[in-house]
Structure formats: C-alpha cells, structure tokens
C-alpha cells in the first residue's frame, strides 16, 4: 500500500512529530546543518514509524529498526513479514509497505517544469526501462510528451 506525505508540515504539527523518534534518530536529526533538512528528516521518519505502527498494531515509538546495507532501515523484528521502502524528493515522501514479499521498491522524482523530462527526450528511455519494449513502443505511438504527461499525472 503506497502512502505519501509532504515533508514540510505546518510548524504547529512539526513540534509533535519528533515524539516517536528513537534516541539515535534524534541524534541523526541534530547532525543536519540545514533546519529544513532536519525538519524533513524528522517528518519522514515520523511518517514511516506511524505508518508501520498501523500495520504492526503498536505505538509508533515502539517500532524498532536495524540498518542494512547503505544504512537502509529494516524492521528489527526478524519475524515481521512486512517490507517497506521510503523514498523522498524535496518535500514529498512516498512509502510502500507489503507483506509476504522479500523486497519492495518505490521511487519519487521531481520534475521541475511540466514537460521538462519530455523536453530532454528521456520519456522513451524511462518507459523502456520500466516496461521494456511495450513502453517504448507506446511512447513512439503516443509521443513521448503525451505518454509521459499521463505517466506523471
């Protein structure tokens, strides 16, 4: 189930987000030089904890992580069948959660201006990468810009 969130919540909301973070997450947040990046980290980690707590039937502060390759958080409880992936770009975060699979992946990218990717001629390449020849053929038929516009909507 994918869920998304703005990482720039209102200041009144921001104050309560850090309550569920672990001591190591508080320490990590403090290492951010930029207050904006610090706030986004806190909002993202709180979002992740609260979302996972719904699946686990526990409090957000009780969700425990261990860190895998490249620092990727995974649930510390090896019996948990849940897998998740959190991605963010600027102020947008998206998280996918699945049960019964080995891994799940999700990504979010920022397109700076409408048609920006299509203008650089990358839509066909993106669709080829995601859907193989079918995606590339669809880009040829519909045109890169029109297909990418539908994909990004």
């Amino acid at each position: 189930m994918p869920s998304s969130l703005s990482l720039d919540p209102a200041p009144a909301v921001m104050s309560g987000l850090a309550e569920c973070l672990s001591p190591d997450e508080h320490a990590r947040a403090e290492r951010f030089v930029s207050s904006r990046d610090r706030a986004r980290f806190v909002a993202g980690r709180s979002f992740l904890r609260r979302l996972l707590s719904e699946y686990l039937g526990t409090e957000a502060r009780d969700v425990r992580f261990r860190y895998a390759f490249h620092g990727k958080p995974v649930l510390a409880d090896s019996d948990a069948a849940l897998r998740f992936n959190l991605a963010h770009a600027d102020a947008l975060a998206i998280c996918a959660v699945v049960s019964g699979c080995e891994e799940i992946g999700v990504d979010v990218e920022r397109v700076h201006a409408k048609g920006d990717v299509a203008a650089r001629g990358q839509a066909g390449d993106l669709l080829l990468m995601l859907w193989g020849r079918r995606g590339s053929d669809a880009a040829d038929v519909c045109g890169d810009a029109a297909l990418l516009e539908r994909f990004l909507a």
Side-chain angles (χ1 to χ4, degrees):
M1 174 187 135
S3 294
S4 64
L5 164 91
S6 169
L7 294 177
D8 288 336
V13 173
M14 194 64 209
S15 62
L17 294 180
E19 293 174 357
C20 67
L21 271 55
S22 67
D24 68 301
E25 290 167 330
H26 282 285
R28 182 173 171 193
E30 289 306 312
R31 289 193 298 266
F32 283 94
V33 175
S34 162
S35 61
R36 182 193 69 195
D37 292 342
R38 184 179 315 111
R40 286 179 175 176
F41 172 78
V42 169
R45 193 50 63 100
S46 176
F47 166 59
L48 178 61
R49 285 179 160 281
R50 292 169 197 271
L51 181 63
L52 292 174
S53 74
E54 292 293 320
Y55 285 92
L56 297 169
T58 188
E59 295 293 321
R61 68 178 165 275
D62 295 331
V63 174
R64 298 288 176 249
F65 298 108
R66 63 180 175 80
Y67 295 91
F69 191 64
H70 292 299
K72 180 183 191 274
V74 295
L75 289 170
D77 180 359
S78 60
D79 292 336
L82 289 180
R83 299 292 182 263
F84 64 90
N85 188 254
L86 177 70
H88 58 86
D90 295 328
L92 179 65
I94 186 167
C95 185
V97 180
V98 67
S99 180
C101 291
E102 287 194 28
E103 292 298 326
I104 182 76
V106 66
D107 196 15
V108 60
E109 298 291 334
R110 179 183 164 115
V111 176
H112 294 276
K114 209 170 195 176
D116 184 38
V117 173
R120 294 193 309 254
Q122 295 176 350
D125 293 342
L126 175 65
L127 296 167
L128 178 62
M129 181 180 72
L130 293 173
W131 292 304
R133 191 73 226 151
R134 278 184 52 209
S136 184
D137 290 345
D140 290 342
V141 171
C142 297
D144 281 357
L147 192 58
L148 188 65
E149 184 71 27
R150 290 186 200 131
F151 176 74
L152 295 175

